[in-house]
Amino acid sequence: MKKILVINGPNLNMLGAREPEIYGHQTIADIEKLCQKAGKELGFSIDFRQSNAEAEMINWIQESGKFSALIVNAAAYTHTSVAIYDALLAVKIPVVEVHLSNIFRREEFRHHSYVSRAAKGVICGFGADSYLLALKGLKELLDA
Amino acid sequence: MKKILVINGPNLNMLGAREPEIYGHQTIADIEKLCQKAGKELGFSIDFRQSNAEAEMINWIQESGKFSALIVNAAAYTHTSVAIYDALLAVKIPVVEVHLSNIFRREEFRHHSYVSRAAKGVICGFGADSYLLALKGLKELLDA
Amino acid sequence: MKKILVINGPNLNMLGAREPEIYGHQTIADIEKLCQKAGKELGFSIDFRQSNAEAEMINWIQESGKFSALIVNAAAYTHTSVAIYDALLAVKIPVVEVHLSNIFRREEFRHHSYVSRAAKGVICGFGADSYLLALKGLKELLDA
Amino acid sequence: MKKILVINGPNLNMLGAREPEIYGHQTIADIEKLCQKAGKELGFSIDFRQSNAEAEMINWIQESGKFSALIVNAAAYTHTSVAIYDALLAVKIPVVEVHLSNIFRREEFRHHSYVSRAAKGVICGFGADSYLLALKGLKELLDA
Amino acid sequence: MKKILVINGPNLNMLGAREPEIYGHQTIADIEKLCQKAGKELGFSIDFRQSNAEAEMINWIQESGKFSALIVNAAAYTHTSVAIYDALLAVKIPVVEVHLSNIFRREEFRHHSYVSRAAKGVICGFGADSYLLALKGLKELLDA
Amino acid sequence: MKKILVINGPNLNMLGAREPEIYGHQTIADIEKLCQKAGKELGFSIDFRQSNAEAEMINWIQESGKFSALIVNAAAYTHTSVAIYDALLAVKIPVVEVHLSNIFRREEFRHHSYVSRAAKGVICGFGADSYLLALKGLKELLDA
Amino acid sequence: MKKILVINGPNLNMLGAREPEIYGHQTIADIEKLCQKAGKELGFSIDFRQSNAEAEMINWIQESGKFSALIVNAAAYTHTSVAIYDALLAVKIPVVEVHLSNIFRREEFRHHSYVSRAAKGVICGFGADSYLLALKGLKELLDA
Amino acid sequence: MKKILVINGPNLNMLGAREPEIYGHQTIADIEKLCQKAGKELGFSIDFRQSNAEAEMINWIQESGKFSALIVNAAAYTHTSVAIYDALLAVKIPVVEVHLSNIFRREEFRHHSYVSRAAKGVICGFGADSYLLALKGLKELLDA
Amino acid sequence: MKKILVINGPNLNMLGAREPEIYGHQTIADIEKLCQKAGKELGFSIDFRQSNAEAEMINWIQESGKFSALIVNAAAYTHTSVAIYDALLAVKIPVVEVHLSNIFRREEFRHHSYVSRAAKGVICGFGADSYLLALKGLKELLDA
Amino acid sequence: MKKILVINGPNLNMLGAREPEIYGHQTIADIEKLCQKAGKELGFSIDFRQSNAEAEMINWIQESGKFSALIVNAAAYTHTSVAIYDALLAVKIPVVEVHLSNIFRREEFRHHSYVSRAAKGVICGFGADSYLLALKGLKELLDA
Amino acid sequence: MKKILVINGPNLNMLGAREPEIYGHQTIADIEKLCQKAGKELGFSIDFRQSNAEAEMINWIQESGKFSALIVNAAAYTHTSVAIYDALLAVKIPVVEVHLSNIFRREEFRHHSYVSRAAKGVICGFGADSYLLALKGLKELLDA
Amino acid sequence: MKKILVINGPNLNMLGAREPEIYGHQTIADIEKLCQKAGKELGFSIDFRQSNAEAEMINWIQESGKFSALIVNAAAYTHTSVAIYDALLAVKIPVVEVHLSNIFRREEFRHHSYVSRAAKGVICGFGADSYLLALKGLKELLDA
């Protein structure tokens, strides 16, 4: 059974409460449940984490050697963290970048992503489904 | 059975022959076949088109009223066509933007997309799977 | 009786349906009717055309030799088409640029116009009346 | 009888003498006469003013409550005056921006207008006729 | 009893009427009353002025020698007036910049202030209370 | 008794020692004492914290639900942290941004603040008094 | 006998009539004649085409497989067409970019060329001779 | 006897008191005296004026027809006033721009001058001698 | 014996594994050994640390009072951390910035360093020898 | 027999040794030979020079009066030398700019040329043939 | 008798022949004669030099210790030479920058001067009189 | 014995006299002595040169084939010389860039270096020790 690490960045623990008109009413726990369920169907074991700390996210990326792939929603650090980018560069497994909202319809400073430079693919704007599509995309990728 | 219109822009008719190190070896016909197959499984009827002409693409978008959703890979026009953007703004059905390659790892001028401003979601970097993920994303979206 | 060519660009065939809060509820046919009526009063024969195709617009501009003046609403091509600008540069009759909306109160990328560089005058923001004012302006200009 | 306030900005009192290759040979008095004549035909009472002082223009805009509409040729202040823009924002009657010349064919710094951001419509490039077209545009607007 | 000069810039005489969703419903007279009241409590004599004219504001700043401090809400001139900045540079008493609204949440061109470069401190976003906080801040400053 | 959370960012624990010509000779403990004293007079219970860690600041902001208002001196993170901005966006209580120094008279990169975009008001340049003025501003705001 | 495809872009069908002070008095037919004559001397069979339509130019480039080389004067599309650039990237035969005028002495927006990024070499400023030099350059290149 | 108009802009009435380390200890009256003295020697009648008001400066420029030349130290308006630039454009007599300080060694925003675009020559950095050199330069110019 | 603190930033714990074509095959432990050896020869006691956390690096900088000098390889934070810059500004001992790679031959965003603004000197591109040269440079500096 | 001066700039004396993957294996002497041979065929006497010194190149340009035309490969000075541009401006004979490589496919800073602003035409990307095409272009030009 | 060194930069040896509509018909020898004559009247011994070589100009500036002042017309190097700027920074005698033409009315790239940053004053636009005014300005300066 | 060429650029011959607060009191001869001494210890024969002429520096770089390494302090040419960059690109021996001062703490235009793009490593800010560290760095590099 392949293991997938899902890393969520700052303020995603506030989902549901935080600006629901942008991020929807699902909590991060709801999203994890959906991922676990989809993971089971796809034959993936999902390790789902969230942190507000850039360094903890870097640690998780550095220690991702035992996983088959990485799904990263770096939230605000997407746009500012060269350190996460550097951590991802050292990772040899495929990385998929996801966002709940379509970041290209929001403030200008959210249009640039350091994560994209290190990712295999990018999926955004589908709400929680962005994660599920990422899992499905990885299914194809890892089977190929 | 819901109908999905898939619009492909300039030079995508050259897939397989054109820069395979970026776009892979599948032809546009191969991708259509994959979409038709996935469409059947998801209960979608797929209308799959390609054009090198901006105006033809605009016409197709304008006449998309009978479809339930739109998948758009505008290729080079992604980055330059305000006219396609305007056409998409007038569309009331959901639009998903797809790209075969991860456009954010390519030339600077490919990082900006007019299509993104009018799309529900964006999927890029998964090769032909970008289309299949778009179909799956629309399945969830249209069922919800 | 002087002949005036009115050229409308992409997506203007969708008027009435497209974003009515910006463009109003009149269709392109409504606007043509208003222009024909005003033309009659001013002693102008109006040739009123619309195209989504940049090349067709260029062809029309190139063949405008038999007209006394040109009214151009290039819509989205206003902001991107050097080719239409070049076609207008070769035209010896007066050109008036019109827009239904006030393009300077919209997205930043709509503030720049290649058409303005080749036009005698610019009228925008008056809805369908922008065309009628252009006709009146040309009346004065051609009589002078 | 509806009252229209026409406000002219700095150096327009020099018309006729100042750079006639750009602004023509008509004086500001000539333009006023044309406006008064056109006003009479359209059923407008015209109050036509000129000032070199930004503050006086702001005062006039602030006191425009008794007018049905405002025509503003802010001349050089068009490009630099946030204060006139703010004054116009507080005005509830329609504002039409006019210019004698086509400002988009002149120096780069004349391409940006603070007035446009607060105006219903913009007319430029028709010489004195820019004012007459503005009056005609307002006639339609106020009758509607 | 220390004397404080409060200088208000263009369009602030329209407060209450002008865009109340941004500036609130208080008039400039209301704000003066609040300042006078607070001044009494703090032991300040307040000279409260408003002008739409950049030059008058410069004159007042130049003649502020008999005051202990200056509170400046330069309104639109905040963003454009090097001349007011130069006048403030020549002033030896402390200057506090105030704004009713939080200028950093408004249009981009309101984010830059020439006044800030010459001010001891800046207070914005508290409505009329911005002035009262400025008075309290000066109380501490002048007592120290 | 209303509770106010005061959050101080990186290097503010070094106050007094760090560049006293910019930040003055008061320590962070001195400033807390002044705040506690002012809080008592205003009927506020003050919770005063400092951290060098972006993530800890985000945690505090996320957990600020039991407070009536937030005072934030994000120090260096003011200019770089989209993550703190996102955390503040999710907060429903009023936020006041403070700085000891006038950030607009310092290096160019200190002129932009992500915090300002999420704050009710901004106060800077009054040294420790910036905090006291923020408390007074909140007093008025919360009483209204 | 080697076959060379010469592709001319928008408005080049107007040569002779269009701005002769920039483009000279030769028509596109004159230029073709010169190319055919030079082609004969160099042992080339010349296929000489002109189109105002970006899509038609793309089609021609895509179908250039039977030619030994490509000469492209993309005119206005030189500066705006990523789609033509993409089409050229897929071409395996040498591409020479030509312009009648020296584009670097004209408007700023004509200084950038997407075609140059995909071309072997660039020749501009020699009027119709630009084409003849391109043929001669290709002669050497193809013989080598 | 030729008449020269010398126009001084905002805050120059504060010379001597204002930032003497930049502008020196001479007052504007001192400078006028030096100019009058030099004028006598050169056979010029000097009309020396100062205003803080942009509009008054424009008026003076507009009425300069009876003078043989204009010396302008527009001070802060140098960098911001398109209106003064426009007024100078309408002037047919030679204009010399002067500054007491070397504006190119000061803040970035003082490096650009609208006055320079309309001036025959520019002299800066010589303190009061900038004016005397301007008079001498005009002497040569007018005699030639 | 003088004490030197060597601070290494994010992802440097991955050296040897991470992009060896850029950073070489030495681990961070290898580099520490080289530093300890060189330190002994130079009479320095070396305290060698690494952290992925910006805040921990700030803490270390703040507590560097007992050291004679600081060597900082801030890695990715070099380019983004104003907070580390502020911490360094408060340090009174000499700071030397080092990098393994020549950052000026890498991506554009790695060309700017906040650390350089606070450093005595900069050494980059020598691999592990960058550290040894820094120690030698400090030897001279501290002996002088 | 017409005389042509060919001026080569810095580092072109290193051709063959320097980055042969960009500039090819021909030496500057090889290129001169080719030019001399072509010159003979075209009826030109060729004076072929190379210098690493900007001033020497300027001298040669200044003294080019006895030549019928100038071919300039300014190499690195192409992008930086206003002085060479000024020298070329004073030249009355036609100037052709050549480059061995296609400068538009290289680093960004090589895309701008001061020489182009003063040249009749530009030829680049053909290796040594760029020179021969320039000679042929001049043949036509001088015969016309 | 005080000695003044006058340094003229590239292409000024071509004066009279070079673009007389900008630079006039006087040769550099004519200007030297005027300077020598004026020098005699002012009690200056003038050493007047011209060079096309940046390095020679730097040498002259470095060796200017025996002069009382320096007049520099660096021509094209004005806009590009940091090296001349650095040489001037090391000079302790006053430097006056002169230009024949008003550089601010010419191409954008001529508006920036490295020389201005190191000069006491700047004089431009007076033709050869720029030099004479510089001498007169230095007379005052050195006598003071 | 390995030979090292040390190339010093413009104005470095003025060291000691020129801005000692930035560059220190050592002369270029002092620095050469230090280098010769260090060279002896390291087993290097040092050829130490200085020139104010860009072309002479290029010549030296071109002729550096007999050396084992190059140390370059290009001074002002660091920031402007593409020609020196091109010369360095053709060099096959290691290049170390040095500067006496920390160029990143000086004017903005000194932050960019063309030399860095061609150098193995960069050392700046250590005064004369920058050279000695470069020698030591080369010792390691050449021994490896």
Side-chain angles (χ1 to χ4, degrees), chain B residues 94-129:
Chain B
V95 175
V96 176
E97 177 181 8
V98 298
H99 298 283
L100 295 161
S101 64
N102 178 347
I103 56 176
F104 305 106
R105 296 177 76 164
R106 302 182 61 198
E107 302 100 317
E108 185 72 21
F109 64 79
R110 294 197 208 269
H111 295 195
H112 172 263
S113 160
Y114 279 111
V115 175
S116 296
R117 303 171 68 111
K120 168 69 185 165
V122 181
I123 299 173
C124 73
F126 294 87
D129 284 340

Side-chain angles (χ1 to χ4, degrees), chain A residues 8 13-14 19 27 34 37 63 70 82-83 98 107 130:
Chain A
N8 293 283
N13 59 329
M14 298 300 277
E19 296 175 289
T27 64
L34 291 168
K37 184 160 162 286
E63 297 155 9
L70 207 45
V82 176
V98 298
E107 301 101 317
S130 291

Side-chain angles (χ1 to χ4, degrees), chain L residues 99-114:
Chain L
H99 298 283
L100 295 161
S101 64
N102 178 347
I103 58 176
F104 305 105
R105 297 179 77 164
R106 302 182 61 199
E107 302 100 316
E108 185 71 23
F109 64 80
R110 295 199 205 266
H111 295 194
H112 171 266
S113 160
Y114 280 109

Side-chain angles (χ1 to χ4, degrees), chain D residues 10-11 13-14 17-19 52-54 76-77 80 107 109-110, chain H residues 54-55 58-59 62 80 82-83 85-87 89-90 92 114 117:
Chain D
N11 297 303
N13 59 328
M14 299 298 279
R18 172 195 174 200
E19 297 174 290
N52 289 336
E54 192 177 10
Y77 294 146
T80 62
E107 301 100 317
F109 64 80
R110 294 197 207 267
Chain H
E54 192 177 9
I58 293 168
N59 292 343
Q62 289 185 351
T80 63
V82 175
Y85 170 53
D86 278 356
L89 282 182
K92 286 175 191 67
Y114 281 110
R117 302 171 70 111

Side-chain angles (χ1 to χ4, degrees), chain F residues 8-9 12-16 26-34 48-50 73 100 131:
Chain F
N8 293 283
L12 290 170
N13 59 329
M14 298 299 278
L15 279 179
Q26 285 170 308
T27 65
I28 191 78
D30 295 337
I31 294 179
E32 178 172 7
K33 256 181 243 158
L34 290 169
F48 193 94
R49 307 179 189 173
Q50 189 275 336
N73 179 351
L100 295 161
Y131 291 76

Side-chain angles (χ1 to χ4, degrees), chain K residues 40-111:
Chain K
K40 242 173 243 170
E41 290 164 19
L42 296 164
F44 288 152
S45 146
I46 309 283
D47 190 337
F48 192 95
R49 308 178 188 174
Q50 189 275 336
S51 175
N52 289 337
E54 193 177 9
E56 190 166 42
M57 292 173 71
I58 293 167
N59 292 344
W60 291 343
I61 295 168
Q62 289 184 351
E63 298 157 6
S64 64
K66 61 179 174 183
F67 294 90
S68 298
L70 207 46
I71 293 174
V72 180
N73 179 351
Y77 295 145
T78 299
H79 317 299
T80 62
S81 177
V82 176
I84 287 176
Y85 170 53
D86 278 356
L88 290 170
L89 282 182
V91 155
K92 285 175 192 68
I93 55 175
V95 175
V96 176
E97 177 182 7
V98 298
H99 298 283
L100 295 160
S101 64
N102 178 347
I103 58 175
F104 305 105
R105 298 179 76 164
R106 303 182 61 199
E107 303 101 315
E108 186 71 21
F109 63 79
R110 294 197 207 269
H111 295 193

Side-chain angles (χ1 to χ4, degrees), chain F residues 10-14 17-19 23 52-54 75-77 79-80 106-107 109-110, chain I residues 54-55 58-59 61-63 80-90 92 114 117:
Chain F
N11 297 303
L12 290 170
N13 59 329
M14 298 299 278
R18 172 192 175 202
E19 297 174 289
Y23 298 102
N52 288 338
E54 193 178 9
Y77 294 145
H79 318 300
T80 63
R106 302 182 61 197
E107 302 100 318
F109 63 81
R110 294 198 207 267
Chain I
E54 192 178 9
I58 293 168
N59 291 345
I61 296 168
Q62 289 184 353
E63 297 155 8
T80 62
S81 178
V82 176
I84 287 175
Y85 170 53
D86 278 357
L88 290 169
L89 282 182
K92 285 174 192 68
Y114 280 110
R117 303 170 69 110

Side-chain angles (χ1 to χ4, degrees), chain D residues 1-142:
Chain D
M1 203 173 195
K2 277 172 184 146
K3 289 158 48 168
I4 309 288
L5 176 58
V6 183
I7 297 180
N8 293 281
N11 297 303
L12 290 171
N13 59 328
M14 299 298 279
L15 279 179
R18 172 195 174 200
E19 297 174 290
E21 71 287 1
I22 297 178
Y23 299 102
H25 291 280
Q26 286 170 308
T27 64
I28 190 77
D30 294 337
I31 294 178
E32 178 171 7
K33 257 182 243 160
L34 290 169
C35 285
Q36 295 293 5
K37 184 160 162 289
K40 244 175 242 169
E41 290 165 17
L42 296 164
F44 288 152
S45 146
I46 309 285
D47 189 337
F48 193 95
R49 307 179 189 173
Q50 189 275 336
S51 176
N52 289 336
E54 192 177 10
E56 191 166 41
M57 292 174 71
I58 293 168
N59 291 344
W60 290 343
I61 296 168
Q62 289 185 352
E63 296 156 8
S64 65
K66 62 179 173 182
F67 294 91
S68 297
L70 207 45
I71 293 174
V72 179
N73 179 350
Y77 294 146
T78 299
H79 317 298
T80 62
S81 179
V82 176
I84 287 175
Y85 170 52
D86 278 356
L88 290 169
L89 283 183
V91 156
K92 286 174 191 67
I93 55 175
V95 175
V96 175
E97 177 181 6
V98 299
H99 298 283
L100 295 160
S101 65
N102 178 347
I103 57 175
F104 305 105
R105 297 178 77 164
R106 302 182 61 199
E107 301 100 317
E108 185 71 21
F109 64 80
R110 294 197 207 267
H111 295 194
H112 172 264
S113 161
Y114 280 108
V115 175
S116 296
R117 303 171 70 110
K120 167 70 186 165
V122 181
I123 299 172
C124 72
F126 295 89
D129 284 341
S130 291
Y131 290 77
L132 304 186
L133 293 173
L135 286 168
K136 286 170 186 161
L138 283 171
K139 176 68 182 167
E140 297 300 321
L141 205 66
L142 296 175

